Each structure stands twice: as structure tokens, then as C-alpha cells.
Amino acid sequence: MDFFSKKINAIDLLNTPLKYNLHMKEISITTTFSGYDSLQDLPTDIQNLMSYAIEIRKKAYAPYSKFRVGAKSSSR
């Protein structure tokens, strides 16, 4: 019976040294973004998407957090 098919009690797991050699893989994620000073600095197609998202945000339903979000997607 291997590690994943064996039922383990949570207390036993905390009190027992790990006998299995599990190898974890490290993954690095890098993000790059561009910042603009105003909506007019954006390319025209992106300006249209942003304008739509801003309008939709005004209609967002956020009764508890009051954090309204608008989004629009595009497939280029």
C-alpha cells in the first residue's frame, strides 16, 4: 500500500515522522505588466475594453465588500 492509498488519521500524521520521500517541485511564476498614466495612453482596442469594464463596474453587485469590479475579455 503506497502513501496515497493509505487512510491516515490526522493525529497519527502529526505524531508520526514522515516515512515517505515525497519530492516537491518548485515552480517560479513571473509576471510583467505595463503601467499607463491615463486611459488615453492605451492602445485603442484596450481603451475600448477598459471603457466597457469601467461602465460594467458601476453595475456590479457587491453588497458586503462594496468592492465593485468590472471586466471585459477579448480574444485576439
Side-chain angles (χ1 to χ4, degrees):
M1 185 179 323
D2 70 357
F3 178 79
F4 295 104
S5 62
K6 183 179 177 183
K7 290 184 179 181
I8 298 174
N9 179 323
I11 301 300
D12 292 339
L13 184 60
L14 292 173
N15 293 326
T16 306
L18 189 58
K19 300 185 265 185
Y20 302 95
N21 188 6
L22 301 176
H23 297 283
M24 299 294 278
K25 183 176 169 182
E26 183 176 322
I27 299 172
S28 176
I29 299 173
T30 303
T31 302
T32 303
F33 67 93
S34 300
Y36 295 89
D37 292 328
S38 72
L39 192 60
Q40 288 70 34
D41 293 339
L42 294 167
T44 305
D45 58 334
I46 304 299
Q47 282 183 29
N48 295 336
L49 291 172
M50 289 294 295
S51 295
Y52 184 82
I54 290 167
E55 286 303 310
I56 291 299
R57 181 177 62 197
K58 294 174 185 175
K59 300 175 184 177
Y61 181 71
Y64 302 108
S65 68
K66 307 289 190 243
F67 188 78
R68 298 176 184 272
V69 176
K72 173 74 172 160
S73 66
S74 172
S75 59
R76 292 185 182 195

Coordinates of all heavy atoms in Angstrom, one line a residue:
M1 N 0.9 -1.2 0.0 CA 0.0 0.0 0.0 C 0.9 1.2 0.0 O 1.8 1.4 0.8 CB -0.9 0.0 1.2 CG -1.9 1.1 1.3 SD -3.0 1.2 2.7 CE -3.4 -0.5 3.1
D2 N 0.7 2.1 -0.9 CA 1.5 3.3 -1.0 C 0.9 4.5 -0.2 O -0.2 4.3 0.4 CB 1.8 3.8 -2.5 CG 0.5 4.3 -3.1 OD1 -0.5 4.3 -2.5 OD2 0.6 4.7 -4.3
F3 N 1.6 5.6 -0.1 CA 1.2 6.7 0.8 C -0.1 7.2 0.4 O -0.9 7.5 1.3 CB 2.3 7.8 0.6 CG 2.0 9.0 1.4 CD1 2.2 9.1 2.8 CD2 1.4 10.2 0.8 CE1 1.9 10.2 3.5 CE2 1.1 11.3 1.6 CZ 1.4 11.3 2.9
F4 N -0.5 7.3 -0.8 CA -1.7 8.0 -1.2 C -2.9 7.1 -1.1 O -4.1 7.6 -1.0 CB -1.6 8.5 -2.7 CG -0.6 9.6 -2.8 CD1 0.7 9.4 -3.3 CD2 -0.9 10.9 -2.3 CE1 1.6 10.4 -3.4 CE2 0.1 11.9 -2.3 CZ 1.3 11.6 -2.9
S5 N -2.8 5.8 -1.1 CA -3.9 4.9 -1.0 C -4.2 4.5 0.5 O -5.2 3.9 0.8 CB -3.7 3.6 -1.8 OG -2.6 2.9 -1.3
K6 N -3.3 4.9 1.4 CA -3.5 4.5 2.8 C -4.3 5.6 3.5 O -4.0 6.8 3.4 CB -2.1 4.5 3.5 CG -2.1 4.0 4.9 CD -0.7 4.0 5.4 CE -0.7 3.6 6.9 NZ 0.7 3.6 7.4
K7 N -5.3 5.2 4.3 CA -6.0 6.2 5.1 C -5.2 6.6 6.3 O -4.7 5.7 7.0 CB -7.4 5.6 5.5 CG -8.3 5.4 4.3 CD -9.7 4.9 4.8 CE -10.6 4.8 3.6 NZ -11.9 4.3 4.0
I8 N -5.1 7.9 6.5 CA -4.3 8.4 7.6 C -5.1 9.2 8.5 O -5.8 10.2 8.1 CB -3.1 9.2 7.1 CG1 -2.2 8.3 6.2 CG2 -2.3 9.8 8.2 CD1 -1.1 9.0 5.5
N9 N -5.1 8.9 9.8 CA -5.7 9.8 10.8 C -4.9 11.0 11.0 O -3.6 11.0 11.1 CB -5.8 8.9 12.1 CG -6.4 9.7 13.3 OD1 -6.2 10.9 13.4 ND2 -7.1 9.0 14.1
A10 N -5.5 12.2 11.1 CA -4.8 13.5 11.2 C -3.9 13.5 12.4 O -2.7 14.0 12.4 CB -5.7 14.6 11.2
I11 N -4.3 13.0 13.6 CA -3.5 12.9 14.8 C -2.3 12.0 14.6 O -1.2 12.4 14.9 CB -4.3 12.5 16.0 CG1 -5.5 13.4 16.2 CG2 -3.4 12.4 17.2 CD1 -5.2 14.8 16.5
D12 N -2.5 10.9 14.0 CA -1.3 10.0 13.7 C -0.3 10.7 12.8 O 0.9 10.5 12.9 CB -1.8 8.7 13.0 CG -2.6 7.8 14.0 OD1 -2.5 8.0 15.2 OD2 -3.4 7.0 13.5
L13 N -0.8 11.4 11.8 CA 0.1 12.1 10.9 C 0.9 13.1 11.6 O 2.1 13.2 11.3 CB -0.8 12.8 9.8 CG 0.0 13.4 8.6 CD1 0.9 12.4 7.9 CD2 -0.9 14.1 7.7
L14 N 0.3 13.8 12.5 CA 1.1 14.8 13.3 C 2.1 14.2 14.2 O 3.2 14.8 14.5 CB 0.1 15.7 14.1 CG -0.8 16.6 13.3 CD1 -1.8 17.3 14.2 CD2 0.0 17.7 12.5
N15 N 1.8 13.0 14.7 CA 2.7 12.4 15.7 C 3.7 11.4 15.1 O 4.5 10.8 15.9 CB 1.8 11.7 16.8 CG 1.0 12.7 17.6 OD1 1.5 13.8 17.9 ND2 -0.2 12.3 18.0
T16 N 3.6 11.2 13.9 CA 4.5 10.2 13.2 C 5.4 10.8 12.3 O 5.0 11.7 11.5 CB 3.6 9.1 12.4 OG1 2.6 8.6 13.3 CG2 4.4 8.0 11.9
P17 N 6.7 10.5 12.4 CA 7.6 11.1 11.4 C 7.3 10.6 10.0 O 6.9 9.5 9.8 CB 9.0 10.6 11.8 CG 8.8 9.6 12.9 CD 7.3 9.6 13.3
L18 N 7.5 11.5 9.0 CA 7.1 11.1 7.6 C 8.1 10.1 7.1 O 9.3 10.3 7.1 CB 7.2 12.4 6.8 CG 6.6 12.2 5.4 CD1 5.2 11.7 5.4 CD2 6.7 13.5 4.6
K19 N 7.6 8.9 6.7 CA 8.4 7.8 6.3 C 8.6 7.8 4.8 O 9.4 7.1 4.2 CB 7.8 6.5 6.7 CG 7.6 6.3 8.1 CD 7.1 4.9 8.3 CE 5.6 4.9 8.4 NZ 5.0 3.6 8.8
Y20 N 7.8 8.6 4.1 CA 7.8 8.6 2.7 C 8.6 9.8 2.1 O 8.6 10.9 2.6 CB 6.4 8.7 2.1 CG 5.6 7.5 2.7 CD1 4.8 7.7 3.8 CD2 5.6 6.3 2.0 CE1 4.0 6.6 4.3 CE2 4.9 5.2 2.5 CZ 4.1 5.4 3.6 OH 3.4 4.3 4.1
N21 N 9.4 9.6 1.1 CA 10.2 10.6 0.5 C 9.4 11.2 -0.7 O 9.4 10.7 -1.8 CB 11.5 10.0 0.0 CG 12.5 11.1 -0.5 OD1 12.2 12.3 -0.3 ND2 13.6 10.7 -1.1
L22 N 8.7 12.3 -0.4 CA 7.9 13.0 -1.4 C 8.7 14.1 -1.9 O 9.2 15.0 -1.2 CB 6.6 13.5 -0.8 CG 5.7 12.5 -0.1 CD1 4.5 13.2 0.5 CD2 5.2 11.5 -1.2
H23 N 8.8 14.2 -3.2 CA 9.6 15.2 -3.8 C 8.7 16.3 -4.3 O 7.8 16.1 -5.1 CB 10.4 14.7 -5.0 CG 11.4 13.7 -4.6 ND1 12.6 14.1 -4.0 CD2 11.4 12.3 -4.7 CE1 13.3 13.0 -3.8 NE2 12.6 11.9 -4.1
M24 N 8.9 17.5 -3.8 CA 8.1 18.7 -4.2 C 8.9 19.4 -5.3 O 10.1 19.6 -5.2 CB 7.8 19.6 -3.1 CG 7.1 19.0 -1.9 SD 5.4 18.5 -2.3 CE 4.6 20.1 -2.1
K25 N 8.1 19.8 -6.3 CA 8.7 20.6 -7.4 C 8.5 22.1 -7.2 O 7.4 22.5 -6.9 CB 8.1 20.1 -8.7 CG 8.6 20.7 -9.9 CD 7.9 20.0 -11.1 CE 8.2 20.8 -12.4 NZ 7.5 20.2 -13.5
E26 N 9.6 22.8 -7.3 CA 9.4 24.3 -7.1 C 9.1 24.9 -8.5 O 9.7 24.6 -9.5 CB 10.7 24.9 -6.6 CG 10.6 26.4 -6.4 CD 11.9 27.0 -5.8 OE1 12.5 26.3 -4.9 OE2 12.2 28.1 -6.2
I27 N 8.1 25.7 -8.5 CA 7.7 26.4 -9.7 C 7.8 27.9 -9.5 O 7.3 28.4 -8.5 CB 6.2 26.0 -10.1 CG1 6.1 24.5 -10.3 CG2 5.7 26.8 -11.3 CD1 4.7 24.0 -10.5
S28 N 8.4 28.6 -10.4 CA 8.5 30.0 -10.4 C 7.6 30.6 -11.4 O 7.6 30.2 -12.6 CB 10.0 30.4 -10.6 OG 10.1 31.8 -10.6
I29 N 6.8 31.6 -11.0 CA 5.9 32.3 -12.0 C 6.3 33.8 -12.0 O 6.5 34.4 -11.0 CB 4.5 32.2 -11.5 CG1 4.0 30.7 -11.5 CG2 3.5 33.0 -12.4 CD1 2.7 30.5 -10.9
T30 N 6.6 34.3 -13.2 CA 7.0 35.7 -13.4 C 5.9 36.4 -14.2 O 5.4 35.9 -15.1 CB 8.3 35.7 -14.2 OG1 9.3 35.0 -13.5 CG2 8.8 37.2 -14.3
T31 N 5.6 37.6 -13.7 CA 4.5 38.4 -14.4 C 5.2 39.8 -14.7 O 5.9 40.3 -14.0 CB 3.4 38.6 -13.4 OG1 2.8 37.4 -13.0 CG2 2.3 39.4 -14.1
T32 N 4.8 40.2 -15.9 CA 5.2 41.5 -16.4 C 4.0 42.3 -16.8 O 3.1 41.8 -17.4 CB 6.1 41.4 -17.6 OG1 7.2 40.5 -17.3 CG2 6.7 42.7 -18.1
F33 N 4.0 43.6 -16.4 CA 2.9 44.4 -16.8 C 3.4 45.8 -17.1 O 4.4 46.2 -16.7 CB 1.8 44.5 -15.7 CG 2.2 45.2 -14.4 CD1 2.0 46.5 -14.3 CD2 2.9 44.5 -13.4 CE1 2.4 47.2 -13.1 CE2 3.3 45.1 -12.3 CZ 3.0 46.5 -12.1
S34 N 2.6 46.5 -17.9 CA 2.9 47.9 -18.3 C 1.9 48.8 -17.6 O 0.7 48.5 -17.5 CB 2.8 48.1 -19.8 OG 3.7 47.2 -20.4
G35 N 2.4 49.9 -17.1 CA 1.5 50.9 -16.4 C 1.4 52.1 -17.3 O 2.3 52.5 -18.0
Y36 N 0.2 52.7 -17.3 CA -0.1 53.9 -18.1 C -0.6 54.9 -17.2 O -1.3 54.7 -16.2 CB -1.1 53.5 -19.2 CG -0.6 52.6 -20.2 CD1 -0.7 51.2 -20.0 CD2 0.1 53.0 -21.4 CE1 -0.2 50.3 -21.0 CE2 0.6 52.1 -22.3 CZ 0.4 50.8 -22.1 OH 0.9 49.9 -23.0
D37 N -0.3 56.2 -17.5 CA -0.8 57.3 -16.7 C -2.3 57.6 -16.9 O -3.0 58.1 -16.0 CB 0.0 58.6 -17.0 CG 1.5 58.4 -16.5 OD1 1.7 57.7 -15.5 OD2 2.3 59.0 -17.2
S38 N -2.8 57.3 -18.1 CA -4.2 57.6 -18.3 C -4.8 56.6 -19.3 O -4.0 55.9 -20.0 CB -4.4 59.0 -18.8 OG -4.0 59.2 -20.1
L39 N -6.1 56.5 -19.4 CA -6.8 55.7 -20.3 C -6.4 56.0 -21.8 O -6.3 55.1 -22.6 CB -8.3 55.8 -20.1 CG -9.2 54.7 -20.8 CD1 -8.8 53.3 -20.3 CD2 -10.6 55.0 -20.5
Q40 N -6.2 57.3 -22.0 CA -5.9 57.7 -23.4 C -4.5 57.3 -23.9 O -4.2 57.3 -25.1 CB -6.0 59.3 -23.5 CG -7.4 59.8 -23.5 CD -8.0 59.7 -22.1 OE1 -7.4 59.8 -21.1 NE2 -9.3 59.4 -22.0
D41 N -3.6 56.9 -23.0 CA -2.3 56.4 -23.3 C -2.3 54.9 -23.8 O -1.3 54.5 -24.4 CB -1.3 56.5 -22.1 CG -1.0 57.9 -21.7 OD1 -1.2 58.8 -22.6 OD2 -0.6 58.1 -20.6
L42 N -3.4 54.3 -23.6 CA -3.5 52.9 -24.0 C -3.8 52.7 -25.5 O -4.4 53.7 -26.1 CB -4.7 52.2 -23.3 CG -4.5 52.0 -21.8 CD1 -5.9 51.7 -21.1 CD2 -3.5 51.0 -21.4
P43 N -3.5 51.6 -26.1 CA -3.9 51.4 -27.5 C -5.4 51.4 -27.6 O -6.1 51.1 -26.6 CB -3.3 49.9 -27.8 CG -2.3 49.7 -26.7 CD -2.7 50.5 -25.5
T44 N -5.9 51.8 -28.7 CA -7.4 52.0 -28.9 C -8.2 50.8 -28.6 O -9.2 50.9 -27.9 CB -7.6 52.4 -30.4 OG1 -6.8 53.5 -30.7 CG2 -9.1 52.7 -30.6
D45 N -7.8 49.6 -29.0 CA -8.6 48.4 -28.7 C -8.6 48.1 -27.1 O -9.7 47.7 -26.6 CB -8.0 47.1 -29.4 CG -6.6 46.8 -29.1 OD1 -5.8 47.7 -28.7 OD2 -6.2 45.6 -29.2
I46 N -7.6 48.4 -26.4 CA -7.5 48.3 -25.0 C -8.4 49.4 -24.3 O -9.1 49.1 -23.3 CB -6.1 48.3 -24.4 CG1 -5.3 47.2 -25.1 CG2 -6.1 48.1 -22.9 CD1 -5.8 45.8 -24.9
Q47 N -8.3 50.6 -24.9 CA -9.2 51.7 -24.4 C -10.7 51.3 -24.4 O -11.4 51.5 -23.4 CB -9.0 52.9 -25.2 CG -7.8 53.7 -25.0 CD -7.7 55.0 -25.8 OE1 -8.8 55.5 -26.1 NE2 -6.5 55.4 -26.1
N48 N -11.1 50.6 -25.5 CA -12.5 50.2 -25.6 C -12.8 49.2 -24.6 O -13.9 49.2 -24.0 CB -12.7 49.7 -27.0 CG -12.6 50.7 -28.1 OD1 -12.8 51.9 -27.8 ND2 -12.3 50.3 -29.3
L49 N -11.9 48.2 -24.3 CA -12.2 47.2 -23.3 C -12.2 47.8 -21.9 O -13.1 47.5 -21.1 CB -11.0 46.1 -23.4 CG -11.0 45.2 -24.6 CD1 -9.7 44.4 -24.5 CD2 -12.2 44.3 -24.6
M50 N -11.3 48.7 -21.6 CA -11.3 49.4 -20.3 C -12.6 50.2 -20.1 O -13.1 50.2 -19.0 CB -10.1 50.2 -20.2 CG -8.8 49.4 -20.0 SD -8.7 48.5 -18.5 CE -8.7 49.8 -17.3
S51 N -13.0 50.9 -21.1 CA -14.2 51.8 -21.0 C -15.4 50.9 -20.7 O -16.2 51.2 -19.8 CB -14.4 52.6 -22.3 OG -13.4 53.5 -22.5
Y52 N -15.5 49.8 -21.4 CA -16.6 48.8 -21.1 C -16.5 48.3 -19.7 O -17.5 48.3 -19.0 CB -16.6 47.7 -22.1 CG -17.7 46.8 -22.0 CD1 -19.0 47.1 -22.6 CD2 -17.6 45.6 -21.2 CE1 -20.0 46.2 -22.4 CE2 -18.7 44.8 -21.1 CZ -19.9 45.1 -21.7 OH -21.0 44.2 -21.5
A53 N -15.3 47.9 -19.2 CA -15.2 47.4 -17.9 C -15.5 48.4 -16.8 O -16.1 48.1 -15.8 CB -13.8 46.9 -17.7
I54 N -15.2 49.7 -17.1 CA -15.5 50.8 -16.1 C -17.0 50.9 -16.0 O -17.5 51.1 -14.9 CB -14.8 52.1 -16.5 CG1 -13.3 51.9 -16.3 CG2 -15.3 53.3 -15.8 CD1 -12.4 53.0 -17.0
E55 N -17.7 50.9 -17.2 CA -19.2 51.0 -17.2 C -19.8 49.9 -16.5 O -20.7 50.0 -15.7 CB -19.7 51.2 -18.6 CG -19.4 52.5 -19.2 CD -20.0 53.6 -18.4 OE1 -21.2 53.6 -18.1 OE2 -19.2 54.6 -18.2
I56 N -19.4 48.7 -16.7 CA -19.9 47.5 -16.1 C -19.7 47.5 -14.6 O -20.5 47.1 -13.8 CB -19.3 46.2 -16.7 CG1 -19.9 46.0 -18.1 CG2 -19.6 45.0 -15.9 CD1 -21.4 45.9 -18.2
R57 N -18.5 48.0 -14.2 CA -18.2 48.1 -12.7 C -19.2 48.9 -12.0 O -19.6 48.6 -10.8 CB -16.8 48.7 -12.6 CG -16.3 48.8 -11.1 CD -15.0 49.4 -11.0 NE -14.9 50.7 -11.5 CZ -13.8 51.3 -11.9 NH1 -12.6 50.7 -11.7 NH2 -13.8 52.5 -12.3
K58 N -19.8 49.9 -12.6 CA -20.8 50.7 -12.0 C -22.1 49.9 -11.6 O -22.8 50.3 -10.7 CB -21.2 51.9 -12.9 CG -20.1 52.9 -13.1 CD -20.4 54.0 -14.1 CE -19.3 54.9 -14.4 NZ -19.6 55.8 -15.4
K59 N -22.3 48.8 -12.3 CA -23.5 48.0 -12.1 C -23.2 46.7 -11.3 O -24.0 45.9 -11.1 CB -24.0 47.5 -13.5 CG -24.5 48.7 -14.3 CD -24.9 48.2 -15.7 CE -25.2 49.4 -16.6 NZ -25.6 48.9 -17.9
A60 N -21.9 46.6 -10.8 CA -21.5 45.4 -10.1 C -22.3 45.3 -8.8 O -22.6 46.2 -8.1 CB -20.0 45.4 -9.8
Y61 N -22.6 44.0 -8.4 CA -23.3 43.7 -7.2 C -22.3 43.3 -6.1 O -21.6 42.3 -6.2 CB -24.3 42.6 -7.4 CG -25.1 42.2 -6.2 CD1 -26.1 43.0 -5.7 CD2 -24.9 41.0 -5.6 CE1 -26.8 42.7 -4.6 CE2 -25.6 40.6 -4.5 CZ -26.6 41.5 -4.0 OH -27.3 41.1 -2.9
A62 N -22.1 44.2 -5.1 CA -21.1 43.9 -4.1 C -21.7 44.5 -2.8 O -21.1 45.4 -2.2 CB -19.8 44.6 -4.4
P63 N -22.7 43.8 -2.2 CA -23.4 44.4 -1.1 C -22.6 44.3 0.2 O -22.8 45.2 1.1 CB -24.7 43.5 -0.9 CG -24.3 42.2 -1.6 CD -23.3 42.6 -2.7
Y64 N -21.7 43.4 0.3 CA -20.9 43.3 1.6 C -19.6 44.0 1.5 O -19.2 44.8 2.4 CB -20.7 41.8 2.0 CG -22.1 41.1 2.1 CD1 -22.5 40.2 1.1 CD2 -22.9 41.4 3.2 CE1 -23.7 39.5 1.3 CE2 -24.1 40.8 3.3 CZ -24.5 39.8 2.3 OH -25.7 39.2 2.5
S65 N -18.8 43.7 0.5 CA -17.4 44.3 0.4 C -17.5 45.7 -0.1 O -16.5 46.5 0.1 CB -16.5 43.4 -0.4 OG -17.0 43.5 -1.8
K66 N -18.5 46.0 -0.9 CA -18.6 47.3 -1.6 C -17.4 47.5 -2.5 O -17.1 48.6 -3.0 CB -18.6 48.5 -0.6 CG -19.6 48.4 0.5 CD -21.0 48.6 -0.1 CE -22.0 48.8 1.1 NZ -23.0 47.8 1.1
F67 N -16.8 46.4 -2.9 CA -15.6 46.4 -3.8 C -16.2 46.0 -5.2 O -16.3 44.9 -5.5 CB -14.5 45.5 -3.4 CG -13.3 45.6 -4.2 CD1 -12.4 46.7 -4.0 CD2 -13.0 44.7 -5.1 CE1 -11.2 46.8 -4.7 CE2 -11.8 44.8 -5.9 CZ -10.9 45.8 -5.7
R68 N -16.4 47.0 -6.0 CA -17.0 46.8 -7.3 C -16.0 46.5 -8.4 O -15.0 47.2 -8.4 CB -17.9 48.0 -7.7 CG -19.0 48.2 -6.8 CD -19.8 49.4 -7.2 NE -20.8 49.7 -6.2 CZ -22.1 49.2 -6.3 NH1 -22.4 48.4 -7.2 NH2 -23.0 49.5 -5.3
V69 N -16.2 45.5 -9.2 CA -15.2 45.0 -10.2 C -16.0 44.9 -11.5 O -17.1 44.4 -11.6 CB -14.7 43.6 -9.8 CG1 -13.7 43.1 -10.9 CG2 -14.0 43.7 -8.5
G70 N -15.3 45.4 -12.6 CA -15.8 45.2 -13.9 C -14.7 44.6 -14.8 O -13.5 44.8 -14.5
A71 N -15.1 43.7 -15.7 CA -14.2 43.1 -16.6 C -14.7 42.9 -18.0 O -16.0 42.8 -18.2 CB -13.9 41.7 -16.0
K72 N -13.9 42.8 -18.9 CA -14.2 42.6 -20.3 C -13.0 41.8 -20.9 O -11.9 42.1 -20.6 CB -14.4 43.9 -21.0 CG -14.6 43.7 -22.5 CD -16.0 43.2 -22.8 CE -16.2 43.3 -24.3 NZ -17.3 42.4 -24.8
S73 N -13.3 40.7 -21.6 CA -12.2 39.9 -22.2 C -12.3 40.0 -23.7 O -13.3 40.4 -24.3 CB -12.3 38.5 -21.7 OG -13.5 37.9 -22.2
S74 N -11.2 39.7 -24.3 CA -11.1 39.8 -25.7 C -10.2 38.6 -26.2 O -9.2 38.3 -25.5 CB -10.5 41.1 -26.2 OG -10.2 41.1 -27.5
S75 N -10.5 38.0 -27.3 CA -9.6 37.0 -27.9 C -9.1 37.6 -29.2 O -9.8 38.0 -30.1 CB -10.4 35.7 -28.2 OG -11.5 36.0 -29.1
R76 N -7.8 37.8 -29.1 CA -7.2 38.5 -30.3 C -6.9 37.5 -31.4 O -6.5 36.4 -31.3 CB -5.9 39.1 -29.8 CG -6.1 40.3 -28.9 CD -4.8 40.9 -28.6 NE -5.1 42.0 -27.7 CZ -4.2 43.0 -27.4 NH1 -3.1 43.0 -28.0 NH2 -4.5 43.9 -26.6

